[in-house]
């Protein structure tokens, strides 16, 4: 079994983890900064209340000390403060850094008081042996706004990383699409050159021996090569979709495969009785089914049971291809349609990738592994809208 695990994939994971750690570090650092600023504001309030208490004591102070204490009070121009008596009745003239609409409205002032008390325990100021004041305070607007900064920063960086990841992934898929389309067209071109020569030689052989069985078989194979060349040439270009009977498409594909796969494989076909007309490209859809069937035969090692089942469900046309092969692991199921992934020693890992492109991009449908169990088998499911 062959798997591709490139160094670039490892590097992508390393970059992703590194950027995630950077985002987390910035968030934690910002939270730490907010906590430190909050602690500083609490310390400032204790200095503020101490200055208030000293000024209200009946003590003769030096002019310099008095000016210093007044400067401490004036320095607080951000932290909201409400001073009350012991009964929690606010002193209207002793409030700071609050909007006028709150100061002049007794109900709003009391509501603000309760909000402050829920955030911080009020600081007591002892005026005399029988009188105390309470100083209620809250975070400054600057600190409140800064509190949401870490989460906003993490959101912006996370959004940027997700957008970058999506953008790079889209570019990668587009580049891969161009590569596979170019490879398919070049393959069709390379097949076309010897094919033209073979067509000429078969005409000569037919004139010499028109009833030869060998000539007829070679002619069938040449027609088959024409079909293969046409399939590859359509990859990368927008194919023409026609309203065709999909029963007939599946039946033709089944008849061709039945004569070419091992007789030890019990091949079964289940079709609905009524015709189903659906827009599709017969050549490309047949190629997708053939690709899956051949993979299934390989998984069964040329011996087992293989069923192709066509039916309608919830306005969708569904084609189930069920084999009794070796089954797939979760990792294989997850990577099955990735370009370059193959479970075969000599596989290129392009078949299922191109099959998904044909169904999803050209037929506006989907293809997936509906079920798989090791030692039991796998069910591939093709779904297309029945418009």
């Amino acid at each position: 079994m062959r798997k591709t695990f490139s160094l670039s994939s490892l590097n992508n994971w390393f970059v992703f983890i590194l950027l995630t750690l950077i985002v987390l570090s910035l968030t934690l650092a910002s939270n730490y900064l907010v906590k430190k600023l909050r602690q500083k504001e609490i310390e400032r309030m204790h200095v503020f209340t101490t200055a208030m208490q000293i000024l209200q004591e009946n003590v003769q102070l030096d002019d310099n000390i008095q000016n210093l204490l007044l400067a401490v009070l004036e320095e607080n121009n951000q932290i909201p403060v409400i001073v009350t008596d012991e009964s929690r009745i606010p002193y209207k003239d002793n409030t700071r850094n609050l909007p006028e609409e709150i100061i002049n409205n007794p109900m709003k002032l009391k509501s603000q008081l309760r909000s402050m008390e829920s955030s911080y325990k009020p600081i007591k100021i002892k005026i005399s042996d029988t009188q105390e004041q309470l100083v209620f305070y809250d975070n400054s607007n600057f600190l409140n706004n800064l509190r949401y900064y870490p989460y906003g920063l993490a959101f912006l960086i996370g959004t940027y990383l997700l957008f970058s990841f999506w953008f790079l992934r889209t570019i990668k898929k587009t580049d891969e699409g161009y590569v596979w389309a170019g490879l398919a067209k070049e393959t069709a071109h390379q097949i076309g050159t010897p094919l033209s020569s073979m067509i000429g030689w078969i005409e000569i052989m037919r004139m010499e021996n028109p009833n030869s069985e060998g000539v007829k078989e070679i002619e069938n194979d040449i027609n088959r090569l024409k079909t293969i060349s046409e399939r590859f040439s359509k990859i990368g270009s927008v194919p023409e979709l026609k309203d065709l009977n999909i029963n007939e498409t599946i039946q033709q594909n089944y008849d061709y495969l039945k004569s070419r796969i091992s007789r030890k494989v019990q091949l079964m076909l289940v079709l609905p009785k009524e015709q189903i007309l659906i827009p599709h490209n017969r050549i490309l859809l047949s190629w997708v089914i053939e690709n899956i069937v051949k993979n299934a035969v390989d998984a069964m090692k040329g011996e087992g049971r293989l069923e192709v089942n066509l039916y309608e469900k919830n306005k969708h046309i569904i084609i189930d291809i069920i084999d009794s092969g070796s089954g797939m692991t979760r990792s294989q199921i997850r990577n099955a349609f990735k370009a370059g992934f193959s479970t075969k020693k000599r596989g290129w890992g392009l078949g299922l990738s191109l099959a998904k492109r044909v169904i999803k991009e050209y037929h506006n449908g989907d293809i997936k592994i509906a079920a798989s169990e090791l030692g039991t088998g796998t069910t591939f499911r093709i779904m297309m809208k029945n418009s």
Side-chain angles (χ1 to χ4, degrees), residues 40-41 44-45 47-48 67-79 96-97:
K40 287 292 182 183
E41 287 198 352
R44 285 177 60 191
M45 282 308 304
V47 174
F48 176 85
N67 291 334
L68 176 62
L69 294 174
L70 290 172
V72 170
L73 296 180
E74 291 298 326
E75 190 269 341
N76 177 29
N77 55 9
Q78 291 185 338
I79 302 174
R96 288 176 177 267
N97 307 316

Side-chain angles (χ1 to χ4, degrees), residues 49-59 61 65 69 125:
T49 53
T50 301
M52 282 184 63
Q53 182 172 352
I54 294 172
L55 286 171
Q56 293 187 69
E57 291 176 350
N58 295 321
V59 179
L61 299 174
I65 294 177
L69 294 174
I125 298 177

Side-chain angles (χ1 to χ4, degrees), residues 36-307:
K36 292 294 289 185
L37 290 173
R38 185 177 184 182
Q39 187 61 38
K40 287 292 182 183
E41 287 198 352
I42 294 173
E43 292 173 1
R44 285 177 60 191
M45 282 308 304
H46 281 280
V47 174
F48 176 85
T49 53
T50 301
M52 282 184 63
Q53 182 172 352
I54 294 172
L55 286 171
Q56 293 187 69
E57 291 176 350
N58 295 321
V59 179
Q60 189 67 30
L61 299 174
D62 182 85
D63 289 343
N64 291 331
I65 294 177
Q66 188 171 359
N67 291 334
L68 176 62
L69 294 174
L70 290 172
V72 170
L73 296 180
E74 291 298 326
E75 190 269 341
N76 177 29
N77 55 9
Q78 291 185 338
I79 302 174
V81 175
I82 299 177
V83 181
T84 72
D85 60 16
E86 296 175 353
S87 303
R88 299 174 184 262
I89 297 175
Y91 296 118
K92 185 177 179 182
D93 296 332
N94 209 351
T95 59
R96 288 176 177 267
N97 307 316
L98 286 171
E100 289 293 329
E101 61 179 21
I102 293 179
I103 296 174
N104 297 325
N105 188 322
M107 295 297 294
K108 289 184 178 181
L109 194 61
K110 287 184 178 181
S111 177
Q112 183 69 34
L113 194 70
R114 288 192 295 270
S115 175
M116 287 179 170
E117 189 174 12
S118 66
S119 300
Y120 297 102
K121 185 178 179 181
I123 301 173
K124 292 182 180 181
I125 298 177
K126 190 172 183 180
I127 305 300
S128 65
D129 293 337
T130 59
Q131 186 180 5
E132 287 184 342
Q133 290 181 347
L134 300 176
V135 178
F136 294 83
Y137 65 98
D138 205 347
N139 297 324
S140 64
N141 289 333
F142 172 75
L143 185 59
N144 281 332
N145 293 333
L146 193 63
R147 186 171 53 184
Y148 301 105
Y149 170 76
Y151 306 103
L153 179 65
F155 174 77
L156 289 175
I157 295 177
T159 303
Y160 173 75
L161 292 178
L162 288 174
F163 173 78
S164 300
F165 177 75
W166 169 82
F167 182 71
L168 292 174
R169 189 176 179 185
T170 301
I171 291 176
K172 183 181 177 183
K173 282 189 174 181
T174 303
D175 290 342
E176 285 180 354
Y178 285 130
V179 169
W180 302 136
L183 178 62
K185 287 182 176 294
E186 180 62 21
T187 302
H189 176 71
Q190 294 294 335
I191 292 174
T193 302
L195 187 60
S196 299
S197 178
M198 291 173 65
I199 292 172
W201 282 108
I202 199 68
E203 290 297 329
I204 294 173
M205 292 173 66
R206 186 186 290 111
M207 286 188 294
E208 294 178 353
N209 191 352
N211 298 320
S212 171
E213 190 68 27
V215 171
K216 291 180 180 179
E217 288 300 321
I218 293 174
E219 188 174 13
N220 290 334
D221 287 334
I222 288 176
N223 290 331
R224 185 60 183 167
L225 283 173
K226 284 182 180 179
T227 302
I228 293 172
S229 178
E230 189 175 353
R231 287 174 179 174
F232 278 110
S233 67
K234 289 182 181 294
I235 299 294
S237 57
V238 180
E240 183 182 1
L241 303 183
K242 295 181 179 179
D243 277 329
L244 300 172
N245 181 11
I246 195 170
N247 305 51
E248 186 178 332
T249 301
I250 303 296
Q251 184 68 58
Q252 290 177 0
N253 202 238
Y254 171 82
D255 293 338
Y256 170 79
L257 291 169
K258 189 173 183 180
S259 63
R260 281 165 174 76
I261 63 175
S262 172
R263 293 184 179 180
K264 294 181 180 179
V265 175
Q266 183 184 358
L267 187 60
M268 297 181 63
L269 177 63
V270 180
L271 297 175
K273 293 181 179 180
E274 66 279 2
Q275 293 186 355
I276 301 176
L277 295 177
I278 183 172
H280 68 280
N281 185 282
R282 182 163 284 173
I283 292 175
L284 289 180
L285 184 60
S286 297
W287 177 78
V288 170
I289 296 171
E290 181 181 330
N291 190 282
I292 296 174
V293 167
K294 286 184 175 179
N295 283 342
V297 172
D298 290 340
M300 294 187 295
K301 298 180 180 179
E303 184 176 358
R305 186 174 183 274
L306 181 62
E307 178 180 324

